[in-house]
Amino acid sequence: MEDFQQVGQSASQEVLSIEKGGAVAFIQQRLHDRNLHETVAKLNQEYLFGSPAEREDARKALTRLGFAEV
């Protein structure tokens, strides 16, 4: 299975760098490593408290992972 952890990237950058169609493998790897919660928490932090660009990237990343916008 692929290793999706990238040193020095924000959670948003990491998710947005996933190849098209790779979100399922990314989520499976995070579940296997027991750190999907940590990734989603980081994305939420970026969305709530980041700069406008960070917020937009976090929104896109959450959407890519299948989380609905509210």
Side-chain angles (χ1 to χ4, degrees):
M1 193 169 275
E2 293 182 55
D3 180 19
F4 290 100
Q5 292 182 325
Q6 300 290 325
V7 177
Q9 284 188 325
S10 70
S12 297
Q13 291 169 336
E14 184 177 5
V15 171
L16 293 175
S17 70
I18 298 170
E19 293 182 21
K20 186 175 182 175
V24 172
F26 177 86
I27 291 171
Q28 288 174 334
Q29 181 66 46
R30 292 291 184 203
L31 286 169
H32 179 265
D33 295 342
R34 301 183 68 115
N35 64 4
L36 181 61
H37 171 78
E38 180 182 335
T39 300
V40 173
K42 287 179 181 178
L43 290 170
N44 285 332
Q45 282 290 111
E46 292 173 20
Y47 183 75
L48 293 172
F49 303 109
S51 68
E54 290 169 331
R55 293 180 68 176
E56 179 62 15
D57 285 348
R59 185 194 63 75
K60 289 178 185 176
L62 287 164
T63 300
R64 178 169 287 184
L65 293 179
F67 291 95
E69 290 188 50
V70 287

